[in-house]
């Protein structure tokens, strides 16, 4: 090796055999043997170790550095060559199998009719779906035309069971009942993240609509500023939890509305909260005005968001005057609570230097277009005031004000949580924002935190890569239990309680997720234990064997830890099962908590993928299939009836109960065209039922 070759920390070129030969002739056999021995033990020596080797072997420090760099490159090249040969061999094997299968299919005879098999049935089904959708659109168009002439639309035909590739399974064997409804799991083809076209996008926005939007946004901004700056009697403290809620009578006197007829089915939710956020004001405004970043800020609340049209871009320096029409779907992390869908205007205005107001207000398209269904939820002027602080943080005051038309009664488990303005209230938005901004701040830290488990993750890039991988895991998990009507259909399997185990299935083809048919199952339960104690129980690796059915009683050890917030509960862990049969599989887990609720989400990841992420490489294509728990307070006033478990560590204070949603996902088949089978449904049903039983037993509340 030439000591002067290369510059900085760049790897030396070893592709030329002559150069490699010359370089190694410069070292004695003893030196090379010593270096090879040390390389096997420590392929990445630090500067202190390189200096020690330099003294022991009589070589220059740069020679030691470049030798290790080139040796690592050699090993990487050898491994890649071996992997390529193995993949090429596997590819040839699969190609031969495909040829054999095609030849065999040519001679298959249908046992029913004796004829040849029907080919491309999947695509025939797709054609029928498209034809069915086209005929429905045609029927709607003809019906609307008829309504103009005869005063009423043509009566619709009786509903026909759609053609699906679903599997009809009786649920009698899963519950106590002997008969029951059939299990209709629709295997939707295509990508699991396909984005449908919204009706408003298809029909466009007229100039008259735009003028009306400008006026509505301006009025909403004026109302929001008054709501943000007013105190009592417009805002009053809740007697149960001290939250600020809107005095509806005072509000209607201050903001009278024409033709404001009372609808008995309409319920108003209005709350206000304020707090300090670790981000400067302009950066926060930019994220609020970007629908993609809006989802990143609130992954546990916003399941879908899109900017339909930018009506005014505003001033580029401070975004003042920006007005855009947006679409948003909000959720509580359980299938028991329907999602809320909004078309709304978002208007940003800089009031003074370092002070912004962002107003949201619904815009109802259903009055102008018959193909847009009237929304059951409406945003009255809502939004936030963002004020810069000298330390680079900002103070945010949040107002959330919506009207909900309740066509169906909220499930009893979540009724108190919804009615108390906790589930979709200002506090949940603000605490989630604070927690996520802390996470972003940790992502940008160049060093390591003293709370991190050092020595495992070698670099800052590796730490960031692991945090991005964990965040994608959270996003996939939240999407998997959404109750969105447009996303997936849930079917109740068993009668474990009045909630039952609900399942849904979809074909996953997204990068970063296992390719095939994914079966998701979830259930929600109430526990007479505080949400904080339940969170601590799930987060602590020492108590994991008490609830993790798949751990088979084996203990787990935390081998890597990343702190991503001021609360010790906000962290990312890599867990390894002790005495497990599969030593190459690890568990990636992220836990996060704030006053509105908590999450504990985990996914099995193989050792090679973890090493890829820890080395700082792009983790986007590492497949994840997460499962986990959502925990939130039950919203009921504490009556001293909640119990605690002696198994939990730390202080045990009596507090309200908690609502826990348990969610699992399993890969039914790695083939996207595979069909769901009864065995997979039975497996996940038993898995979730056993897990719930073990949770209740461990927390000493089996009868809840």
């Amino acid at each position: 090796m030439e000591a002067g070759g290369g510059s900085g920390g760049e790897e030396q070129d070893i592709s030329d055999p002559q150069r490699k030969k010359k370089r190694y002739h410069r070292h004695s056999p003893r030196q090379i043997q010593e270096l090879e021995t040390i390389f096997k033990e420590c392929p990445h020596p630090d500067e202190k170790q390189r200096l020690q080797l330099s003294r022991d072997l009589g070589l220059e420090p740069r020679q030691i550095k470049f030798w290790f760099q080139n040796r690592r490159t050699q090993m990487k090249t050898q491994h890649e060559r071996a992997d390529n040969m193995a993949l090429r061999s596997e590819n040839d094997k699969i190609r031969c199998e495909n040829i054999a299968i095609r030849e065999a299919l040519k001679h298959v005879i249908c046992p029913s009719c004796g004829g040849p098999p029907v080919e491309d049935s999947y695509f025939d089904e797709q054609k029928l779906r498209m034809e069915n959708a086209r005929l429905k659109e045609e029927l709607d168009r003809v019906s609307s035309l008829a309504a103009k002439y005869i005063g009423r639309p043509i009566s619709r035909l009786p509903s026909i069971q759609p053609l699906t590739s679903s599997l009809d399974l009786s649920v009698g064997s899963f519950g106590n009942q002997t008969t029951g409804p059939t299990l209709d799991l629709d295997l939707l083809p295509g990508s699991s993240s396909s984005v449908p076209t919204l009706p408003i996008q298809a029909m466009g926005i007229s100039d008259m609509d735009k003028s009306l939007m400008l006026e509505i946004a301006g009025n909403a901004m004026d109302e929001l500023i008054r709501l943000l700056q007013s105190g009592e009697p417009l805002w009053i403290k809740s007697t149960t939890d001290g939250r600020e809620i809107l005095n509806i009578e005072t509000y209607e006197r201050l903001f009278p509305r024409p033709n404001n007829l009372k609808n008995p089915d309409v319920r108003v939710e209005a709350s206000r909260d304020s707090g300090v956020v670790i981000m400067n004001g302009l950066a926060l405004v930019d994220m609020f005005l970007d629908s993609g970043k809006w989802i990143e800020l609130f992954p546990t609340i916003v399941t879908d968001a899109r900017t339909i049209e930018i009506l005014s871009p505003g001033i580029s320096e401070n975004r003042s005057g920006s007005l855009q029409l947006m679409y948003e779907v909000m959720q509580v992390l359980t299938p028991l609570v329907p999602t809320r869908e909004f078309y709304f205007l978002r208007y940003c205005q800089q009031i003074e230097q370092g002070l912004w107001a962002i107003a949201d207000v619904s815009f109802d398209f259903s009055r102008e277009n018959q193909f847009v269904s009237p929304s059951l939820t409406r945003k009255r002027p809502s939004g936030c005031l963002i004020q810069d602080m000298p330390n680079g943080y900002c103070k945010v005051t949040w107002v959330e004000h919506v009207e909900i038309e309740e066509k169906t009664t909220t499930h009893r488990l979540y009724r108190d949580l919804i009615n108390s303005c906790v589930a979709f209230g200002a506090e949940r938005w603000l605490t989630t924002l604070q927690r996520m901004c802390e996470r972003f701040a940790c992502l940008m830290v160049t060093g390591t935190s003293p709370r991190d488990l050092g020595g495992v993750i070698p670099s800052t890039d590796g730490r960031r890569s692991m945090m991005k991988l964990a965040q994608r895991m959270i996003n996939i998990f939240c999407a998997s239990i959404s109750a969105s009507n447009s996303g997936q259909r849930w079917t109740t399997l068993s009668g474990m309680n009045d909630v039952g185990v609900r399942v849904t299935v979809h074909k996953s083809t997204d990068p970063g997720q296992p390719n095939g048919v994914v079966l998701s199952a979830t259930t929600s339960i109430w526990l007479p234990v505080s949400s904080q104690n339940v969170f601590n129980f799930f987060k602590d690796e020492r108590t994991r064997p008490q609830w993790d059915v798949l751990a088979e009683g084996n203990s787990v050890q935390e081998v890597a830890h990343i702190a991503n917030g001021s609360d010790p509960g906000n962290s990312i862990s890599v867990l390894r099962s002790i005495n497990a049969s599969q030593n190459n599989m690890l568990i990636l887990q992220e836990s996060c908590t704030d006053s509105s609720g908590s999450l504990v989400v985990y996914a099995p990841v193989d050792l090679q993928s973890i090493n890829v992420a820890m080395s700082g490489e792009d983790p986007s294509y590492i497949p994840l299939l997460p499962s986990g728990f959502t925990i939130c307070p039950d919203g009921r006033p504490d009556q001293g009836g909640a119990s605690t478990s002696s198994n939990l560590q730390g202080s045990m204070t009596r507090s309200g109960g908690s609502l826990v949603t348990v969610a699992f996902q399993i890969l039914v088949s790695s083939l996207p065209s595979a069909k769901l089978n009864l065995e997979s449904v039975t497996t996940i049903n038993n898995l979730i039922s056993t897990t719930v039983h073990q949770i209740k037993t461990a927390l000493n509340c089996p009868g809840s």
Side-chain angles (χ1 to χ4, degrees):
M1 171 183 285
E2 295 181 7
S7 61
E10 297 180 351
E11 304 254 324
Q12 301 300 299
D13 183 11
I14 63 169
S15 60
D16 185 353
Q18 297 300 324
R19 293 189 60 189
K20 180 168 64 175
K21 183 177 179 181
K22 293 178 182 179
R23 179 171 61 252
Y24 279 102
H25 276 307
R26 309 235 353 166
H27 306 309
S28 68
R30 184 188 67 81
Q31 291 173 332
I32 294 176
Q33 185 178 5
E34 288 288 336
L35 288 170
E36 289 286 358
T37 302
I38 296 169
F39 180 82
K40 293 177 182 178
E41 299 175 355
C42 179
H44 294 270
D46 55 25
E47 185 177 357
K48 183 178 179 181
Q49 291 171 318
R50 291 198 299 269
L51 289 174
Q52 182 63 37
L53 285 172
S54 173
R55 289 192 293 268
D56 294 345
L57 301 177
L59 297 173
E60 292 293 330
R62 292 185 66 186
Q63 288 180 293
I64 299 292
K65 177 180 179 181
F66 292 150
W67 189 93
F68 273 90
Q69 288 177 344
N70 289 330
R71 191 71 181 96
R72 288 194 298 270
T73 303
Q74 279 184 325
M75 294 298 294
K76 182 178 180 182
T77 303
Q78 292 172 4
H79 290 159
E80 289 176 351
R81 186 180 298 113
D83 290 343
N84 287 337
M85 292 178 64
L87 290 173
R88 189 177 296 110
S89 175
E90 184 69 18
N91 192 27
D92 292 339
K93 179 181 176 182
I94 293 173
R95 187 181 294 109
C96 293
E97 290 178 355
N98 285 337
I99 293 173
I101 291 172
R102 288 196 196 100
E103 290 299 322
L105 286 175
K106 291 179 181 179
H107 306 288
V108 173
I109 296 176
C110 177
S112 299
C113 65
V118 179
E119 297 182 358
D120 296 333
S121 59
Y122 172 78
F123 295 101
D124 289 341
E125 180 182 331
Q126 285 294 92
K127 292 175 183 177
L128 289 174
R129 286 179 182 273
M130 294 173 64
E131 180 68 13
N132 192 30
R134 187 189 66 79
L135 290 173
K136 284 183 178 179
E137 292 178 0
E138 182 70 14
L139 179 59
D140 289 336
R141 187 182 68 82
V142 173
S143 178
S144 63
L145 288 175
K148 295 182 180 179
Y149 295 100
I150 64 176
R152 61 181 177 82
I154 298 175
S155 59
R156 297 296 296 269
L157 296 174
S159 59
I160 301 175
Q161 183 68 23
L163 175 65
T164 65
S165 56
S166 60
L167 178 66
D168 257 0
L169 298 174
S170 172
V171 300
S173 60
F174 297 116
N176 296 325
Q177 70 271 32
T178 58
T179 62
T182 57
L183 172 62
D184 183 18
L185 296 176
D186 192 7
L187 284 173
L188 298 177
S191 171
S192 60
S193 64
S194 57
V195 180
T197 301
L198 300 177
I200 295 175
Q201 289 175 313
M203 74 182 190
I205 301 173
S206 65
D207 292 337
M208 185 178 297
D209 281 336
K210 291 180 181 179
S211 300
L212 182 60
M213 290 177 185
L214 288 169
E215 182 180 355
I216 291 174
N219 293 337
M221 178 63 74
D222 294 339
E223 180 175 321
L224 175 66
I225 291 176
R226 292 180 64 184
L227 289 173
L228 288 165
Q229 296 177 345
S230 300
E232 293 185 354
L234 184 61
W235 293 98
I236 56 177
K237 294 282 188 180
S238 169
T239 55
T240 57
D241 50 28
R243 293 183 177 89
E244 281 191 308
I245 57 177
L246 190 66
N247 187 329
I248 303 300
E249 294 181 359
T250 304
Y251 171 80
E252 290 178 347
R253 287 198 304 268
L254 292 175
F255 304 99
R257 298 177 185 275
N259 303 323
N260 189 18
L261 299 177
K262 295 289 185 181
N263 185 340
D265 295 330
V266 171
R267 182 170 52 82
V268 176
E269 295 178 8
S271 56
R272 184 174 70 172
D273 199 10
S274 61
V276 176
V277 174
I278 306 179
M279 186 175 287
N280 70 73
L282 184 57
L284 202 57
V285 168
D286 286 335
M287 296 190 77
F288 279 21
L289 297 177
D290 184 321
S291 57
K293 293 179 180 177
W294 178 251
I295 298 178
E296 290 181 13
L297 273 176
F298 302 99
T300 58
I301 304 176
V302 181
T303 184
D304 189 12
R306 275 169 271 172
T307 300
I308 298 173
E309 186 160 338
I310 298 177
L311 304 169
S312 172
I315 302 172
S316 59
E317 290 80 7
N318 53 28
R319 306 304 300 273
S320 184
S322 174
L323 175 63
Q324 54 194 37
L325 177 64
M326 299 183 68
Y327 169 78
E328 175 184 64
V329 180
M330 293 164 44
Q331 68 173 343
V332 174
L333 292 174
T334 173
L336 298 182
V337 179
T339 55
R340 297 181 176 182
E341 184 181 70
F342 297 96
Y343 289 102
F344 65 98
L345 298 167
R346 175 158 290 177
Y347 182 39
C348 174
Q349 186 176 9
Q350 186 178 33
I351 300 174
E352 59 185 47
Q353 186 68 30
L355 182 64
W356 292 265
I358 295 181
D360 294 345
V361 63
S362 283
F363 186 82
D364 190 1
F365 278 89
S366 61
R367 294 174 299 180
E368 285 77 24
N369 190 285
Q370 60 183 329
F371 295 111
V372 179
S373 301
S375 175
L376 300 180
T377 54
R378 286 181 53 82
K379 274 184 181 284
R380 286 191 175 183
S382 305
C384 60
L385 191 70
I386 302 172
Q387 183 175 10
D388 269 332
M389 299 175 66
N391 58 358
Y393 298 178
C394 64
K395 181 181 179 182
V396 177
T397 304
W398 197 291
V399 169
E400 196 66 21
H401 187 188
V402 296
E403 289 180 352
I404 310 298
E405 186 177 356
E406 294 183 321
K407 295 294 187 181
T408 58
T409 305
T410 305
H411 194 279
R412 63 172 185 82
L413 278 183
Y414 286 85
R415 195 173 302 152
D416 292 319
L417 187 72
I418 301 294
N419 294 342
S420 61
C421 296
V422 175
F424 293 101
E427 183 187 13
R428 185 184 178 206
W429 284 97
L430 187 59
T431 54
T432 303
L433 176 65
Q434 290 173 316
R435 177 174 55 79
M436 290 303 297
C437 286
E438 282 189 1
R439 196 183 196 283
F440 291 145
C442 292
L443 187 65
M444 303 309 295
V445 171
T446 55
T448 58
S449 168
R451 289 186 289 149
D452 290 350
L453 189 61
V456 178
I457 303 176
S459 65
T460 301
D461 289 340
R463 185 174 183 272
R464 290 175 180 171
S465 180
M466 288 292 293
M467 292 184 70
K468 291 177 181 178
L469 181 64
Q471 183 59 42
R472 183 162 61 84
M473 178 179 68
I474 293 286
N475 296 343
I476 295 172
F477 175 79
C478 293
S480 73
I481 57 177
S482 170
S484 173
N485 292 329
S486 60
Q488 49 201 7
R489 298 188 308 167
W490 292 93
T491 302
T492 303
L493 277 186
S494 65
M496 181 180 63
N497 48 38
D498 65 334
V499 176
V501 175
R502 303 188 177 208
V503 297
T504 186
V505 66
H506 70 277
K507 293 178 182 176
S508 171
T509 57
D510 294 340
Q513 288 185 257
N515 191 15
V517 177
V518 175
L519 178 63
S520 304
T522 180
T523 191
S524 296
I525 58 174
W526 176 82
L527 295 175
V529 182
S530 73
S531 56
Q532 184 61 49
N533 285 344
V534 175
F535 171 71
N536 292 338
F537 171 70
F538 287 130
K539 178 183 179 296
D540 192 344
E541 68 272 12
R542 293 170 297 180
T543 58
R544 189 182 189 96
Q546 298 181 37
W547 59 261
D548 192 348
V549 179
L550 300 179
E552 299 178 346
N554 292 320
S555 301
V556 296
Q557 176 187 11
E558 187 178 45
V559 296
H561 181 95
I562 300 174
N564 58 1
S566 58
D567 192 303
N570 295 325
S571 62
I572 299 166
S573 301
V574 177
L575 307 174
R576 178 181 61 194
S577 180
I578 302 175
N579 300 324
S581 58
Q582 293 183 338
N583 293 325
N584 64 329
M585 292 301 295
L586 301 174
I587 299 172
L588 175 65
Q589 176 176 294
E590 175 161 356
S591 59
C592 49
T593 184
D594 54 52
S595 61
S596 66
S598 308
L599 278 178
V600 177
V601 182
Y602 60 91
V605 184
D606 61 83
L607 180 60
Q608 183 179 1
S609 298
I610 288 289
N611 287 334
V612 167
M614 286 186 176
S615 66
E617 297 184 34
D618 182 14
S620 302
Y621 294 96
I622 295 176
L624 294 171
L625 197 60
S627 302
F629 308 91
T630 72
I631 309 114
C632 62
D634 58 12
R636 306 173 191 175
D638 180 22
Q639 299 176 353
S643 65
T644 58
S645 169
S646 59
N647 296 339
L648 301 178
Q649 304 295 323
S651 62
M652 299 296 165
T653 57
R654 297 179 70 84
S655 59
S658 57
L659 298 171
V660 179
T661 295
V662 185
F664 288 102
Q665 294 187 89
I666 63 172
L667 187 65
V668 177
S669 172
S670 59
L671 300 175
S673 60
K675 305 295 182 182
L676 187 65
N677 56 54
L678 178 60
E679 183 181 358
S680 300
V681 177
T682 305
T683 298
I684 201 166
N685 182 60
N686 292 337
L687 175 64
I688 218 166
S689 301
T690 305
T691 301
V692 168
H693 174 73
Q694 293 191 179
I695 291 170
K696 291 182 176 181
T697 301
L699 294 176
N700 197 25
C701 46
S704 60

